[in-house]
Amino acid sequence: MYRYDEFDERFLRERVAQFRSQVERRLDGSLSEEEFKPLRLKNGLYLQLHAYMLRIAVPYGTLNSKQLRQLAYIADTYDKGYGHFTTRQNLQFNWPKLKDVPDILDLLADVEMHCIQTSGNCIRNVTSDQFAGVAADEVEDPRPTAELLRQWSSLHPEFVWLPRKFKIAVTGAEHDRAAIMVHDIGLKLKRNEAGAVGYEVIVGGGLGRTPMIGKKIKDFLPKDELLAYLEAVMRVYNSEGRRDNKFKARVKILVHETGEEEFRARVEAEYAKLDGPTINAPAEEVERIAAYFAPPAYETLPEQSQALDTARAADPALDRFVEQNGFAHKQPGYIALTIALKEIGAVPGDMSADQMRAFADICERWSFDEFRVTHSQNLVLPHVRKDDVPAVFAALKAAGLASANAGLITDIIACPGLDYCALATAKSIPIAQAIAKTFADEARQREIGHLPIKISGCINACGHHHVGAIGILGLEKGGRENYQITVGGDATEHASLGERLGPGIDAEDVPGAIETIVSTYLAEKQGQESFIETVRRAGLEPFKAGFTDFVASRSSAQEAAE
């Protein structure tokens, strides 16, 4: 993990002192809410439906036990005893009091954390692959790149007031687990024909009211040219992106309206004018950053663990957990484990303070004091000895964190929705809970297999519904919550946007609609096809037909009841 230096520490303390003064002036009436709003947003503080919400940056999703224990303390002391992990690999507190926020920021600074650039029209938290550094399909660990971008983009004088918010994701693997195709900029580390490592550059992805898949504007960018090239991209966007309409202000709109080829030409022209050596990071600085991400002190172990094999044979629950939540580690004798924050009936992404403390102990004892936050609102222990997995599982089980459903139909992404968010038009959390309860049977979940469901409570798409294999969008229609269902979305290297099956339906009908879609899949699948593979082979028509029949049957039932 990266460690802050004296400059970082001093900067954070000065920023907290500055914001403390701003809060005091808001509380005594010297600042109006209109005057205070841009100041609080610069410090990650939102005013939501019922209370303030504080969004804490977790760069590329990496945390340690000390930081998590501090978050648990803040949750207990200044919130309602829990935190919420988001699709941006961040953590949110939903109930802080304004007067307490400066104290919270001071506590965060104690453990090298902050809320800067988690809001506003700036470059937001840089996200990455949750299995960075351990995945066998990785060309290179993307975290040093993500940290370099964090330092480059923090309070960058040109890019602190962009036309709209800006999100960057980095992956170093063949399989995209960072959703780079639906970010403003997506970077993929790759090798060229000569064996050199560089970046494939994707620009113009994004969801929201106008979802788009990003366009590749550079097939191979040498590593040492990264910052200057991104500076060129940002300058083109900053100067040409629309500021007259916030709904058309994202870079995806600029790329779309300009055209892929013309946008690429403008970036290349801007890049040619820049003095690259004065912008790009010196080699020694890149090496300094990379050194912080050296592998931990792994033991030399055999690939197979007799202790784990024996324990799995004796405990079906452990066996299911390892089978579903385990991820192959490139270091022999080790495994990465996904901790799904998706117990049946729970709020997706929520973690209590007690669970945080228990998980901090687990992380410290069995995963080299490191864990990751995923963009699917789960956690990962990246470095667990296979011999230790039975003990880890027992500790997770005791903490209520041993759900063996990673990637299954109950591992649902959901935004806070109308329970919290002032922008939401419908609830998301109760829908996720109802679907999870409908498919609570573990054997049924395994029969269905990999099926990501993603739910958003408004068109801003914080729940990434557009790229859910099944996507659910909650809207308001005629004074009632109304849900549109899409099928066929994918956030991987084969990125695609889901398509609507038909008209919106009432909240109480959503679980039945999902049952119908799943039944259609099981009837249509061939061999070991996943849900998305079946959709792509069979097309949408079988799913639309089943959905149409379901809607008609529900309408008939309602008419009969009336």
Side-chain angles (χ1 to χ4, degrees):
M1 291 178 61
Y2 186 76
R3 295 289 184 268
Y4 284 6
D5 58 20
E6 292 180 2
F7 172 82
D8 295 311
E9 167 71 15
R10 185 173 65 252
F11 167 71
L12 288 187
R13 298 300 180 186
E14 291 173 352
R15 184 65 174 257
V16 173
Q18 180 189 63
F19 190 57
R20 186 180 297 277
S21 174
Q22 293 164 350
V23 168
E24 289 170 353
R25 283 181 282 154
R26 175 69 188 106
L27 291 172
D28 70 17
S30 301
L31 289 175
S32 67
E33 169 55 27
E34 184 178 359
E35 293 167 326
F36 182 60
K37 181 178 179 179
L39 303 175
R40 62 171 169 80
L41 289 177
K42 290 291 185 182
N43 291 277
L45 186 63
Y46 290 73
L47 185 57
Q48 296 222 291
L49 198 59
H50 308 293
Y52 284 101
M53 179 271 282
L54 186 65
R55 180 179 294 151
I56 299 164
V58 183
Y60 36 91
T62 299
L63 286 170
N64 61 29
S65 62
K66 182 179 180 182
Q67 292 169 323
L68 189 59
R69 290 190 185 101
Q70 190 79 317
L71 293 172
Y73 174 78
I74 293 169
D76 272 342
T77 307
Y78 297 105
D79 206 89
K80 293 191 176 183
Y82 72 96
H84 176 74
F85 289 100
T86 78
T87 55
R88 294 292 303 154
Q89 298 181 309
N90 292 323
L91 181 131
Q92 294 178 180
F93 287 122
N94 289 314
W95 302 98
K97 293 181 174 61
L98 178 57
K99 67 181 180 62
D100 294 329
V101 172
D103 292 336
I104 295 173
L105 296 182
D106 255 333
L107 289 168
L108 291 172
D110 288 344
V111 291
E112 301 182 358
M113 298 186 74
H114 61 80
C115 302
I116 299 166
Q117 293 186 202
T118 60
S119 178
N121 295 338
C122 57
I123 298 175
R124 301 284 189 89
N125 185 49
V126 179
T127 58
S128 187
D129 182 353
Q130 66 267 27
F131 297 114
V134 307
D137 65 338
E138 195 171 73
V139 171
E140 187 175 290
D141 188 340
R143 290 175 301 163
T145 294
E147 173 58 28
L148 178 66
L149 295 180
R150 184 195 71 81
Q151 295 187 29
W152 164 75
S153 62
S154 293
L155 302 187
H156 192 298
E158 285 191 62
F159 309 137
V160 292
W161 202 258
L162 296 166
R164 198 71 171 87
K165 58 187 177 182
F166 203 93
K167 300 173 181 179
I168 302 176
V170 191
T171 185
E174 186 61 34
H175 180 55
D176 180 12
R177 291 174 287 266
I180 66 171
M181 299 297 292
V182 289
H183 279 73
D184 297 285
I185 291 179
L187 297 173
K188 178 181 178 180
L189 283 150
K190 60 188 293 187
R191 293 188 185 276
N192 64 10
E193 294 179 355
V197 176
Y199 301 96
E200 180 178 305
V201 182
I202 310 293
V203 178
L207 302 178
R209 77 173 54 227
T210 312
M212 294 185 182
I213 302 299
K215 305 295 190 296
K216 182 167 67 174
I217 68 165
K218 193 78 169 180
D219 184 64
F220 186 84
L221 176 71
K223 279 191 70 178
D224 59 0
E225 298 179 27
L226 177 64
L227 296 188
Y229 194 81
L230 294 194
E231 191 118 343
V233 173
M234 298 304 300
R235 284 188 173 194
V236 171
Y237 170 55
N238 203 19
S239 64
E240 301 184 27
R242 293 182 61 172
R243 285 181 162 85
D244 62 320
N245 184 339
K246 72 175 184 178
F247 302 123
K248 296 182 180 296
R250 298 290 293 270
V251 71
K252 63 187 177 184
I253 302 298
L254 177 61
V255 173
H256 175 73
E257 293 184 348
T258 304
E260 182 180 341
E261 292 300 323
E262 177 60 23
F263 182 82
R264 180 185 294 110
R266 294 183 188 183
V267 170
E268 293 291 342
E270 184 65 32
Y271 181 58
K273 293 189 293 184
L274 294 176
D275 183 3
T278 66
I279 299 171
N280 290 314
E284 57 271 20
E285 177 62 11
V286 174
E287 292 169 3
R288 183 188 72 83
I289 292 173
Y292 283 103
F293 299 95
Y298 295 125
E299 296 178 35
T300 301
L301 299 170
E303 175 58 33
Q304 187 171 2
S305 166
Q306 188 61 50
L308 178 57
D309 291 346
T310 300
R312 290 180 69 176
D315 184 352
L318 170 63
D319 184 59
R320 288 194 298 271
F321 179 80
V322 175
E323 176 66 25
Q324 193 59 47
N325 292 33
F327 181 84
H329 202 293
K330 63 184 180 184
Q331 179 69 22
Y334 286 81
I335 189 172
L337 298 173
T338 295
I339 313 316
L341 301 180
K342 313 287 176 58
E343 283 211 330
I344 303 300
V347 177
D350 275 12
M351 192 177 201
S352 72
D354 288 341
Q355 288 178 321
M356 290 181 192
R357 282 185 282 268
F359 191 70
D361 292 343
I362 293 168
C363 165
E364 187 173 45
R365 181 173 180 183
W366 288 300
S367 187
F368 293 97
D369 198 21
E370 180 187 347
F371 73 95
R372 314 280 176 76
V373 184
T374 81
H375 79 269
S376 56
Q377 297 175 292
N378 293 324
L379 306 179
V380 166
L381 293 169
H383 314 290
V384 178
R385 292 195 328 156
K386 290 182 178 179
D387 289 353
D388 292 332
V389 171
V392 172
F393 178 69
L396 290 169
K397 193 172 181 180
L401 295 169
S403 296
N405 62 343
L408 299 181
I409 193 169
T410 58
D411 183 11
I412 300 169
I413 290 178
C415 73
L418 198 54
D419 285 302
Y420 297 97
C421 183
L423 300 177
T425 48
K427 292 185 177 181
S428 298
I429 293 170
I431 301 298
Q433 292 169 318
I435 295 171
K437 290 175 181 176
T438 300
F439 294 94
D441 182 72
E442 290 187 354
R444 182 102 193 277
Q445 293 179 48
R446 294 195 298 277
E447 177 193 12
I448 296 167
H450 184 71
L451 205 172
I453 294 180
K454 305 182 181 185
I455 308 173
S456 299
C458 77
I459 57 175
N460 290 306
C462 294
H464 295 187
H465 67 275
H466 294 295
V467 287
I470 297 176
I472 303 172
L473 168 62
L475 299 169
E476 185 275 330
K477 183 177 180 181
R480 291 174 60 86
E481 293 177 34
N482 185 266
Y483 294 86
Q484 297 176 357
I485 312 295
T486 58
V487 163
D490 185 357
T492 72
E493 64 275 15
H494 307 298
S496 58
L497 302 174
E499 296 185 44
R500 281 180 60 182
L501 292 183
I505 57 177
D506 291 337
E508 58 267 27
D509 293 336
V510 173
I514 303 305
E515 278 270 25
T516 299
I517 294 167
V518 168
S519 296
T520 302
Y521 158 59
L522 294 176
E524 292 286 335
K525 71 178 292 191
Q526 295 181 359
Q528 298 302 308
E529 278 182 339
S530 67
F531 180 89
I532 191 66
E533 289 170 340
T534 298
V535 171
R536 286 172 173 165
R537 177 189 53 78
L540 287 178
E541 290 312 310
F543 296 92
K544 286 185 175 180
F547 181 78
T548 299
D549 290 344
F550 170 79
V551 172
S553 68
R554 289 295 297 158
S555 297
S556 298
Q558 289 171 1
E559 290 174 3
E562 294 172 356

